[in-house]
Amino acid sequence: MVKSDHRFWSNAWQGYLLRDYLREVGIGNWADLFEKFHPFERRRDEIEGQRQEGKITEDECYALMGPIAIEMNSMEEEADPYDFDLVERLLLDYAVKHGFGDVAAPDRAEEGDERR
């Protein structure tokens, strides 16, 4: 799940894995964004692996990841993917269409909680 209180790029790997499902549900703009993030996320993973293996220091790791995070933030801001009301509606429509409408109704106990 992509949380509205985090950056989309922090969910880059999970979003990439779900991209086909996102398109099927109708959230193509999220799928496109996660596909654009994928090469950056792979590079971040490589850098983190080098840090864990002791090939680079923690400071070098952060120095290498900083520009990647800035680029991913910029991509996210350009895409403006935050229409969570639309996403909830699309997910509910999809659930109803596939026979899960009885369990897909919003939980009223969470009303007022931060939207996710």
Side-chain angles (χ1 to χ4, degrees):
M1 172 180 258
V2 176
K3 297 181 180 181
S4 61
D5 56 341
H6 291 92
R7 302 302 302 199
F8 265 62
W9 61 264
S10 66
N11 297 284
W13 180 245
Q14 295 86 349
Y16 181 77
L17 294 175
L18 296 173
R19 69 193 182 284
D20 293 334
Y21 300 107
L22 295 171
R23 284 194 177 94
E24 185 177 341
V25 170
I27 314 171
N29 63 329
W30 286 18
D32 294 344
L33 184 58
F34 287 126
E35 279 191 341
K36 290 177 185 175
F37 283 165
H38 186 62
F40 293 96
E41 182 59 26
R42 290 187 62 180
R43 179 65 183 134
R44 289 177 70 225
D45 192 47
E46 289 170 11
I47 294 167
E48 178 59 26
Q50 291 173 351
R51 185 195 64 79
Q52 290 178 5
E53 293 171 4
K55 294 178 180 178
I56 61 173
T57 67
E58 199 152 317
D59 289 341
E60 290 170 320
C61 176
Y62 291 125
L64 291 169
M65 285 197 187
I68 295 170
I70 290 169
E71 180 65 26
M72 292 174 86
N73 279 337
S74 176
M75 293 166 64
E76 181 178 333
E77 288 167 10
E78 268 183 38
D80 192 27
Y82 290 104
D83 189 350
F84 283 92
D85 289 332
L86 172 62
V87 170
E88 282 185 3
R89 186 174 47 83
L90 290 170
L91 290 170
L92 182 58
D93 290 349
Y94 183 85
V96 169
K97 177 180 175 184
H98 293 280
F100 298 104
D102 56 333
V103 295
D107 181 2
R108 299 295 176 214
E110 295 180 15
E111 213 166 280
D113 288 351
E114 186 167 335
R115 179 158 281 183
R116 294 180 188 225

